[in-house]
Amino acid sequence: LEVPRLVPRIANLRQLYGDEDATAQAERYGNLAASFRLTFPEFAAASHLRFYSSPGRTELCGNHTDHNHGKVLAAAIQMDMAAVAAPRPDTIVHIASEGFGEFEVDIADGSMHPDERGQSQALVRGIADGIRKAAAKAGKSSSLHGFSAYIQSNVPPGSGLSSSASFEVLIGCILSDCAGIALSPSEIATIGQYAENNHFGKPCGLMDQMACALGNIAAIDFGNPQDPCIQLFSFDLQQFGYSLLIVNSGGSHADLTEDYRDIPAEMKAVARVFGKDTLRGLTVEDLARNMPEIRKECGDRAFLRAYHFITENERPARLTREILEKDVEKYLSVVCESGESSWKYLQNLYPCSAPRDQGLCIALALTEDFIRHETGGKGACRVHGGGFAGTIQVYVPSGKLELYVERMKGFFGAESVFPLRIRPYGVVCIDNIE
C-alpha cells in the first residue's frame, strides 16, 4: 500500500468505520459536538466544527527494537480517540477530555517546563514546538494558532494499546490542520516522539507514534531513524479462521519509567563495548566473542537483552513474509518465538522491584494452557507492548474465541479482554459526520 504523504481527509464516518459501526459512531460524534459546545460556549454558534480520529495500535513483532534502530511490525486498531475542535485567534490550546478533566497551554512558549514533565500539558507544548521547528526547517510558515477541543477515547489507558501515542498524533494533526501546515503522518509521528522524549520525559522509540499515524499494518525499519523505511499492507486474520485480541492482566504502567528506561540504556551500554551507539548491525557471534567483557562492563541482563534485540530484529521481516505468503501457521510460530524471547531474554514481563506482581506471566501461562488443551495447539500469545504490566496479545481460532474470552474474563474481570481489528487508516481529519 502507498504510504500517505499527507494526513488523509475522510469524507464521512462510513468510510472510516465501515457500514456496521457508522450509525453508532455518528451518535458518538454528535454527542462530542454537543459536549464541545457546552464546554466552550464561545463556540456555541459556530456553524462548522472540525472532527478528527486517531487510532490506538498493537505491536505485532519487534518488541523493544525501535529505540536501537531496529525493525518492527505494528498495526493501527479500531479503538480510537475522537476529537471535535475549533481554531482560536490566540495561542491558547484548551483541551477537555471525557473522564480526564481539562487544561490549557499557551503554545507561544515552546520551552521545556520541568513542572509539566509527565503531564499532557508537556506533550501539547512539545508537539507545538516540534511543528514549529519542522515548518521552519522546510521553509514554511511556523505560525501556530491555538484551538479548543473536546476529546473522547475508547483506547483503554494502561492497556498497551498506546493511548499516549494516539493522543500525541491527534494533537499534532489538530495543530497542523488549524494552522494550515501540511505534514505527513510520518512527520507528525516523529514530532510526537520528540515531545514525549524531551518535554514529557519518557525515552520511547518511534514505533507507537508511527503505527497510530500511518494505519494498516506497518513494517518499519528504523535503520535511519530520521528517514525510516516504511512498507504498508493489509491482512485480515479472520479470513484464515483466527481472531486477535489482548488480555489485560491488571497492573499499571505508572511508576515504571525506570524499568522502560533501563532496556534501551542496557542495550546501548553493550553497543558501546563495540564502539557503537546502538546494537544495529551486531550479530550473536559478536556477543559471544565478547561475552566476558560485556558481562564485566554491563552485566548479565544487559547481555541477554542485547541477545534479544539481535534475534528479535530478524523476526519482523519473517513475519512480513508469512503475511505476504498467507502462511498463518508459520506466522503464529514467529509470534511465539517473539514472546518466548521477551520472557527469557528481554525480561520485561514484571519489574524486578516487584516480584510478587506477575500478572503478565499468569495470563500467558493460562493462555498457553488454553491453547494446548482447547485448540489442539493452534494459536499464539506473547507480551504486548512495553511490558512489565498491562496486556498480552493472543491469537485463537475464531471458533474458540467466545470460550477463551469467557475464561479470561473469569480470571481477570469483565473488562479485561479486548478483541482487535486492524484499521486501514491512521490519524485522519473527518469532513462530515452526518
Side-chain angles (χ1 to χ4, degrees):
L1 300 174
E2 184 177 350
V3 177
R5 296 186 178 182
L6 295 175
V7 172
R9 302 200 71 89
I10 302 302
N12 53 54
L13 295 177
R14 194 173 302 278
Q15 183 183 352
L16 179 59
Y17 294 103
D19 293 341
E20 292 184 3
D21 293 338
T23 300
Q25 291 295 336
E27 181 178 358
R28 176 192 183 197
Y29 279 87
N31 291 337
L32 264 178
S35 296
F36 175 87
R37 289 191 165 97
L38 285 173
T39 306
F40 306 108
E42 64 270 31
F43 295 104
S47 60
H48 181 69
L49 300 176
R50 303 188 184 199
F51 298 91
Y52 306 88
S53 168
S54 175
R57 73 95 185 97
T58 183
E59 171 202 287
L60 301 177
C61 195
N63 196 220
H64 281 283
T65 55
D66 54 339
H67 46 60
N68 264 255
H69 298 186
K71 301 175 183 179
V72 301
L73 197 69
I77 59 170
Q78 84 279 9
M79 298 174 182
D80 67 343
M81 285 192 179
V84 56
R88 297 171 58 106
D90 53 26
T91 55
I92 299 297
V93 169
H94 189 172
I95 294 175
S97 301
E98 189 173 292
F100 293 95
E102 59 184 283
F103 63 88
E104 287 188 0
V105 177
D106 187 349
I107 58 173
D109 177 7
S111 64
M112 297 181 194
H113 288 223
D115 59 310
E116 292 179 350
R117 290 176 77 83
Q119 301 179 39
S120 299
Q121 291 91 322
L123 291 174
V124 173
R125 196 183 302 279
I127 291 164
D129 181 40
I131 290 175
R132 271 193 294 265
K133 289 177 177 176
K137 185 177 180 181
K140 304 175 183 176
S141 170
S142 57
S143 177
L144 289 181
H145 301 285
F147 64 84
S148 295
Y150 196 93
I151 298 173
Q152 189 275 331
S153 174
N154 57 27
V155 183
S159 64
L161 295 173
S162 290
S163 57
S164 58
S166 180
F167 176 79
E168 290 161 21
V169 300
L170 178 66
I171 297 304
C173 180
I174 298 172
L175 273 171
S176 59
D177 185 50
C178 288
I181 298 174
L183 294 174
S184 71
S186 297
E187 289 173 319
I188 288 176
T190 301
I191 290 166
Q193 183 205 27
Y194 163 81
E196 187 164 346
N197 287 174
N198 295 282
H199 288 255
F200 188 83
K202 182 178 178 180
C204 68
L206 185 54
M207 176 188 69
D208 295 351
Q209 293 87 350
M210 279 290 190
C212 294
L214 290 167
N216 281 295
I217 297 177
I220 312 171
D221 185 340
F222 290 109
N224 178 1
Q226 281 70 48
D227 186 22
C229 179
I230 301 169
Q231 180 186 9
L232 295 183
F233 47 93
S234 59
F235 184 55
D236 185 359
L237 279 161
Q238 293 186 337
Q239 291 182 350
F240 301 93
Y242 281 90
S243 295
L244 172 64
L245 58 159
I246 63 166
V247 177
N248 192 340
S249 65
S252 169
H253 289 92
D255 301 322
L256 292 175
T257 298
E258 290 298 324
D259 294 284
Y260 295 130
R261 185 177 290 128
D262 284 345
I263 291 177
E266 290 181 10
M267 288 182 179
K268 290 176 182 179
V270 174
R272 286 194 293 273
V273 171
F274 296 87
K276 296 168 63 69
D277 294 327
T278 71
L279 292 171
R280 181 67 180 257
L282 294 177
T283 66
V284 172
E285 290 73 21
D286 292 327
L287 292 183
R289 283 195 300 269
N290 292 272
M291 183 184 68
E293 183 180 359
I294 293 170
R295 295 183 70 185
K296 179 180 178 181
E297 296 295 327
C298 311
D300 290 355
R301 187 174 69 174
F303 178 94
L304 292 170
R305 284 176 164 172
Y307 178 88
H308 165 81
F309 172 87
I310 291 170
T311 54
E312 179 77 350
N313 202 43
E314 299 173 353
R315 294 187 182 103
R318 291 172 55 199
L319 205 62
T320 297
R321 182 176 65 249
E322 305 312 341
I323 289 174
L324 295 175
E325 294 181 357
K326 297 180 170 52
D327 192 327
V328 176
E329 299 308 318
K330 287 185 179 178
Y331 173 102
L332 296 175
S333 176
V334 177
V335 170
C336 289
E337 284 182 31
S338 175
E340 184 177 4
S341 182
S342 292
W343 196 335
K344 291 166 60 176
Y345 307 126
L346 183 60
Q347 300 180 27
N348 68 329
L349 266 72
Y350 64 93
C352 291
S353 60
R356 290 175 60 88
D357 300 326
Q358 298 193 31
L360 290 176
C361 301
I362 292 173
L364 287 171
L366 293 173
T367 300
E368 288 176 357
D369 184 75
F370 180 91
I371 290 172
R372 186 164 47 248
H373 292 102
E374 300 291 348
T375 74
K378 293 184 177 296
C381 59
R382 63 190 285 273
V383 61
H384 182 249
F388 298 113
T391 59
I392 65 168
Q393 183 183 74
V394 182
Y395 301 80
V396 295
S398 297
K400 297 290 185 178
L401 176 63
E402 185 175 349
L403 177 62
Y404 177 77
V405 169
E406 289 306 310
R407 187 165 298 182
M408 291 301 110
K409 285 182 177 180
F411 292 134
F412 298 108
E415 303 299 323
S416 62
V417 184
F418 305 96
L420 301 181
R421 299 192 309 274
I422 294 171
R423 165 169 148 156
Y425 292 100
V427 66
V428 296
C429 308
I430 305 168
D431 288 333
N432 187 2
I433 65 163
E434 298 300 329

